[in-house]
Amino acid sequence: MQFTERSNSTRWFIIISSFIIVLLILWNTYNFFQIFKNEERNKMELWALAQKKINSDDLNADLELPFEIIQNPRIPIIVTINDSISLTANIDDQIINDPLELNEFIESIKLQNKPIITQISETKTQYLYYGNSTLINQLKYYPIALLLIIILFGAVVYNFYRATKMSTQNKLWAGMAKETAHQIGTPLSSLIGWLEILKLDNVEPSTIEEIEKDINRLQTITDRFSKVGSEPVLEEKDIVEETKTSFDYLRDRSSKQINFKFIAPEKTLNVAINPALHSWTIENLVKNAIDAMKGKGNLTLVIEDNEDYVKIKVTDSGKGIPKSDFSKVFEPGFTTKRRGWGLGLSLTKRIVQEYHKGKIKVAQSEIGKGTTMQISYKKTNSIS
């Protein structure tokens, strides 16, 4: 417990520290941006003074230094005197030659920087409009690029952490499943012994038969749990017979208010499956259908032979699933039941896709009318 709390504290410390570092980087970048912007304005003010000197009426003025200052500032500049453009620099000729584009350009650089107003004489007022330099424009997007890099880095770290956590959880669930199978094994062996004693006591054969079915069922459940977390052995089996066996068992032990129907081709359809895990898959789908109908309605299981594939469809007349939840129903923990764990369909998907290399999906569903779940397996006689 202390170790977990310490790990959580460390994790939060790292997250908060990273957040503070990001804020400091962004704040410093913003400060650098403002410093460069102020330096450029100082240069432009000096440039405006030099331009004023050149445009002044003083013919005896020394113009060597002003001309030196105004050489190639590498900043887009428009100078107007009494609303008449007197000078442009570092602006595309296409913009200069088009009055409409030029006015739009002036309006755009006004938003970037306030114009520098210089009074040349009583009758002349100089307005210096200037935009951001290439350096400023590049620096402006630097925080965004930095933030994107940090977000991508955070996403990678999160995915790594989540994958590690899921791997640990899978190992824990697998260990619990195997331990459960081990614990069930002891009383199960005892039940088999008691069953033999009942046979010697000439108990009603039908009673013995039903008890044997339930003991076999417990053995199947134990076998299922023992296979969790390990690579199951696949056998070539008739999918029709294996599915019907599980379907009939559940039908005989379910509510009589449910109308069960089994439809399948009258021929052998061989598929490489693990019988115990396939039985678990059918059980999960049928039980989910029963729960969706609240123990009353129509439940149909159809097996279709579709060239290279066998499709198993379980249809109920229950409440249905919204389209937005079609993919969510297979996520661990997702459930609409008050007392559900949200593991049934998640486990079913893992058995179908990872162990049997098949596919499972919500084939169709309509609110208030029912749902059809579909499994697809590749037939063994079609494998080259």
Side-chain angles (χ1 to χ4, degrees):
M1 182 70 178
Q2 290 179 350
F3 176 78
T4 303
E5 290 176 354
R6 194 180 301 115
S7 298
N8 287 332
S9 300
T10 303
R11 191 178 300 118
W12 277 109
F13 174 76
I14 293 171
I15 292 171
I16 293 171
S17 300
S18 302
F19 184 71
I20 291 172
I21 290 170
V22 170
L23 288 179
L24 287 173
I25 291 172
L26 294 176
W27 182 73
N28 280 325
T29 304
Y30 175 77
N31 283 341
F32 283 136
F33 180 80
Q34 293 302 318
I35 290 170
F36 284 130
K37 201 169 179 67
N38 290 334
E39 285 185 357
E40 285 197 355
R41 185 162 186 88
N42 292 334
K43 289 178 182 178
M44 287 296 96
E45 287 176 349
L46 184 61
W47 198 95
L49 291 174
Q51 191 68 36
K52 174 186 176 183
K53 190 75 173 176
I54 293 170
N55 291 329
S56 68
D57 297 328
D58 187 0
L59 300 177
N60 297 320
D62 182 8
L63 301 180
E64 184 177 350
L65 180 60
F67 272 118
E68 187 70 26
I69 291 172
I70 67 172
Q71 292 301 312
N72 196 21
R74 295 182 182 179
I75 295 173
I77 294 171
I78 296 176
V79 178
T80 64
I81 297 177
N82 294 344
D83 297 329
S84 177
I85 296 175
S86 64
L87 177 68
T88 61
N90 301 311
I91 299 174
D92 194 288
D93 290 339
Q94 184 179 350
I95 296 176
I96 295 172
N97 297 328
D98 188 331
L100 183 61
E101 283 194 35
L102 187 59
N103 286 332
E104 289 178 356
F105 184 79
I106 292 173
E107 293 300 320
S108 68
I109 61 176
K110 278 182 182 180
L111 297 175
Q112 296 176 15
N113 300 287
K114 291 182 179 180
I116 298 172
I117 304 172
T118 309
Q119 196 70 38
I120 297 175
S121 65
E122 292 183 1
T123 59
K124 290 183 180 180
T125 304
Q126 175 182 282
Y127 288 84
L128 171 60
Y129 302 99
Y130 70 99
N132 292 328
S133 65
T134 305
L135 179 62
I136 289 289
N137 285 330
Q138 290 176 348
L139 191 61
K140 183 171 62 176
Y141 295 109
Y142 175 74
I144 299 173
L146 181 64
L147 196 60
L148 288 174
I149 292 170
I150 292 170
I151 290 172
L152 288 174
F153 179 75
V156 171
V157 172
Y158 172 75
N159 285 332
F160 174 77
Y161 167 75
R162 186 179 179 186
T164 304
K165 187 176 180 181
M166 288 182 67
S167 176
T168 303
Q169 288 178 342
N170 286 338
K171 289 179 180 178
L172 177 62
W173 282 111
M176 289 179 64
K178 289 181 181 295
E179 180 62 21
T180 301
H182 177 72
Q183 294 293 335
I184 293 176
T186 302
L188 187 58
S189 300
S190 178
L191 285 173
I192 293 172
W194 283 109
L195 181 62
E196 294 301 320
I197 292 174
L198 289 175
K199 287 180 180 178
L200 294 174
D201 288 343
N202 296 322
V203 175
E204 181 69 30
S206 60
T207 303
I208 297 292
E209 184 180 347
E210 290 303 315
I211 294 174
E212 277 185 326
K213 286 182 182 178
D214 288 331
I215 289 176
N216 289 334
R217 185 67 176 175
L218 284 173
Q219 287 178 323
T220 300
I221 293 171
T222 304
D223 189 33
R224 289 174 184 172
F225 277 103
S226 67
K227 286 180 170 60
V228 173
S230 57
E231 193 67 28
V233 177
L234 302 183
E235 305 172 34
E236 187 174 316
K237 294 284 186 179
D238 179 9
I239 197 74
V240 176
E241 182 182 347
E242 294 294 328
T243 304
K244 191 173 189 309
T245 300
S246 300
F247 184 83
D248 289 345
Y249 179 87
L250 293 167
R251 180 192 58 197
D252 295 340
R253 285 158 178 76
S254 299
S255 169
K256 302 303 179 184
Q257 292 183 306
I258 297 176
N259 179 30
F260 285 87
K261 187 182 291 186
F262 184 88
I263 303 172
E266 295 183 358
K267 62 179 180 179
T268 300
L269 298 176
N270 291 327
V271 174
I273 60 169
N274 181 278
L277 294 181
H278 175 68
S279 174
W280 202 351
T281 298
I282 298 303
E283 180 179 322
N284 282 336
L285 293 180
V286 171
K287 283 186 174 180
N288 267 7
I290 292 172
D291 290 340
M293 298 185 295
K294 297 183 179 179
K296 184 179 181 180
N298 298 314
L299 193 155
T300 305
L301 191 150
V302 179
I303 299 179
E304 296 179 356
D305 181 12
N306 186 11
E307 294 183 2
D308 294 342
Y309 289 88
V310 172
K311 293 183 179 180
I312 302 173
K313 296 181 179 180
V314 179
T315 303
D316 63 65
S317 58
K319 58 185 179 181
I321 303 171
K323 286 187 177 180
S324 58
D325 290 342
F326 276 18
S327 58
K328 292 180 183 178
V329 295
F330 298 106
E331 294 178 1
F334 181 86
T335 181
T336 56
K337 305 172 191 175
R338 290 184 179 180
R339 298 182 181 180
W341 288 85
L343 296 176
L345 287 178
S346 172
L347 182 61
T348 302
K349 181 180 179 181
R350 183 171 182 177
I351 292 171
V352 172
Q353 295 189 354
E354 293 186 22
Y355 294 157
H356 293 110
K357 309 304 177 186
K359 295 179 181 179
I360 184 170
K361 66 177 182 179
V362 181
Q364 64 180 46
S365 186
E366 191 173 345
I367 301 299
K369 292 189 176 181
T371 302
T372 298
M373 304 294 292
Q374 178 181 295
I375 301 172
S376 299
Y377 288 137
K378 196 166 187 178
K379 292 191 292 187
T380 53
N381 55 14
S382 65
I383 299 175
S384 56

